[in-house]
């Protein structure tokens, strides 16, 4: 199976600090800021972002078997099958750069995926002696509905480096051009208005119960994702620091 765009995060990067972060799950509806915050955690703690959406989009762009299976489903704003996504995640998490921890962005998003993740973390495949074997820290970003719509419709991203922009909240210095590498920014195929509603409905119906599951098991921490990006980041860092204190 073709791997993710971020499987190039090198082992040397993971060796720069001895800090173990363990698994971090970022939950939240489309546009909540999961990708934005995952990149900041990645830069701060030097652990990889594992974005199922990014991996799937990469596979669609590459025309792999996985991409061909996922393409139409994603274009409709529905969820790709649990079997395909779980196997994709398994292959990513066994990479050496995940040993100190990783940030799951967009996974799990069904009850079946959450159960699968718990079982995987319990598996001997992972070294039981390491703190990364701990249950994941689950952080949910809560954002007002109208704010979500503005964020999704205003999102632009760089096809080269993956940096995320927003025409309302985080514009590029030069309109539609990436500040970092000069690439022309693109709008995601599923950020069209007619696809946004099904995506939000999928979150409500299939992913909200995942948050309830983590809440019942005492693992859910909610963050007010309506706040400016830097404030949200500061709160997430506090949560991670407190968790490991
Ligand atoms: P995926 O790529 O995971 O999309 P999503 O969950 O819909 O989330 P988004 O990427 O839209 O939003 P985000 O929360 O990352 O927000 P961002 O940081 O970009 O999934 C896409 C599709 O893939 C799914 O529909 C499904 O088909 C498939 N898929 C993926 N995972 C799957 C799984 N596990 N199982 C089955 N199918 C799966 O921010 C949004 C915008 O807001 C940006 O422009 C940003 O600049 C701005 N912004 C962020 N934070 C703030 C802030 N605090 N204030 C102001 N603006 C902000």
């Amino acid at each position: 199976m073709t791997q993710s765009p971020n499987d190039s995060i090198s082992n040397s990067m993971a060796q720069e600090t001895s800090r173990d972060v363990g698994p971090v799950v970022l939950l939240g509806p489309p546009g909540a800021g999961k990708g934005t915050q995952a990149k900041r955690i990645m830069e701060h703690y030097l652990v990889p972002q594992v974005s199922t959406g990014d991996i799937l989009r990469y596979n669609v762009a590459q025309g792999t078997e996985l991409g061909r299976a996922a393409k139409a489903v994603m274009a409709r704003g529905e969820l790709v099958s649990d079997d395909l996504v779980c196997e994709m995640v398994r292959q990513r998490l066994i990479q050496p750069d995940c040993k100190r921890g990783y940030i799951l962005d967009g996974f799990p998003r069904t009850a079946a995926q959450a159960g699968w993740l718990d079982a995987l973390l319990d598996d001997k495949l992972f070294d039981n002696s390491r703190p990364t074997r701990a249950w994941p820290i689950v952080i949910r970003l809560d954002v007002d509905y109208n704010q979500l719509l503005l964020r999704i419709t205003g999102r632009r991203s760089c096809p080269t480096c993956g940096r995320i922009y927003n025409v309302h909240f985080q514009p590029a210095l030069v309109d539609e051009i990436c500040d970092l590498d000069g690439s022309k920014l693109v709008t995601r195929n599923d950020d069209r208005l007619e696809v946004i509603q099904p995506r939000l409905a999928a979150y409500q119906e299939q992913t909200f119960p995942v948050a309830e599951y983590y809440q019942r098991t005492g693992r859910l921490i909610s963050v007010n994702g309506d706040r400016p990006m830097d404030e949200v980041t500061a709160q997430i860092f506090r949560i991670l620091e407190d968790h490991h204190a």
Side-chain angles (χ1 to χ4, degrees), residues 11 18 44 49 68 114 127 159 176 186 199 237:
N11 294 340
S18 57
H44 190 77
Q49 170 195 19
R68 287 196 300 278
D127 177 357
E176 304 292 331
V186 294
R199 286 169 61 201
F237 287 179

Side-chain angles (χ1 to χ4, degrees), residues 9-57:
I9 289 180
S10 68
N11 294 340
S12 60
M13 189 174 170
Q15 286 159 7
E16 282 176 29
T17 171
S18 57
R19 178 79 134 132
D20 282 345
V21 177
V24 178
V25 170
L26 287 184
L27 286 181
K34 302 182 295 295
T36 300
Q37 297 301 330
K39 285 181 173 48
R40 291 173 175 212
I41 302 170
M42 175 176 80
E43 283 161 13
H44 190 77
Y45 289 99
L46 305 180
V47 291
Q49 170 195 19
V50 177
S51 161
T52 44
D54 284 351
I55 302 173
L56 287 167
R57 277 185 289 279

Side-chain angles (χ1 to χ4, degrees), residues 82 104 142 175 195:
D82 290 331
L104 285 167
D142 295 328
D175 202 24
V195 189

Side-chain angles (χ1 to χ4, degrees), residues 28-37 51-54 56-57 70 73-75 77-82 85 88-89 105-110 113 141 147-148 150-152 154-156 164-167 169-170 188 190-191 199 202 225-230 232:
K34 302 182 295 295
T36 300
Q37 297 301 330
S51 161
T52 44
D54 284 351
L56 287 167
R57 277 185 289 279
V73 180
M74 294 174 76
E78 297 167 7
L79 296 186
V80 176
S81 79
D82 290 331
V85 173
M88 183 182 94
V89 170
D105 161 10
F107 183 92
R109 62 213 274 167
T110 65
Q113 291 177 15
L141 302 176
Q147 174 71 203
L148 286 178
L150 266 180
R151 288 188 188 179
I152 298 172
R155 172 169 44 199
R156 303 288 183 274
I164 304 169
Y165 295 85
N166 194 287
V167 297
F169 306 110
Q170 197 184 27
R188 255 169 57 176
D190 60 351
D191 279 351
R199 286 169 61 201
D226 270 329
R227 306 297 303 161
M229 287 173 211
D230 289 350
V232 177

Side-chain angles (χ1 to χ4, degrees), residues 153-207:
T153 52
R155 172 169 44 199
R156 303 288 183 274
S157 50
C158 174
T160 308
C161 70
R163 185 166 180 177
I164 304 169
Y165 295 85
N166 194 287
V167 297
H168 309 295
F169 306 110
Q170 197 184 27
L173 295 173
V174 178
D175 202 24
E176 304 292 331
I177 300 293
C178 179
D179 298 348
L180 300 181
D181 55 40
S183 301
K184 184 159 173 37
L185 301 181
V186 294
T187 302
R188 255 169 57 176
N189 188 37
D190 60 351
D191 279 351
R192 290 169 292 129
L193 268 178
E194 64 273 27
V195 189
I196 293 172
Q197 283 310 332
R199 286 169 61 201
L200 290 169
Y203 176 78
Q204 205 55 37
E205 287 159 23
Q206 292 166 274
T207 311

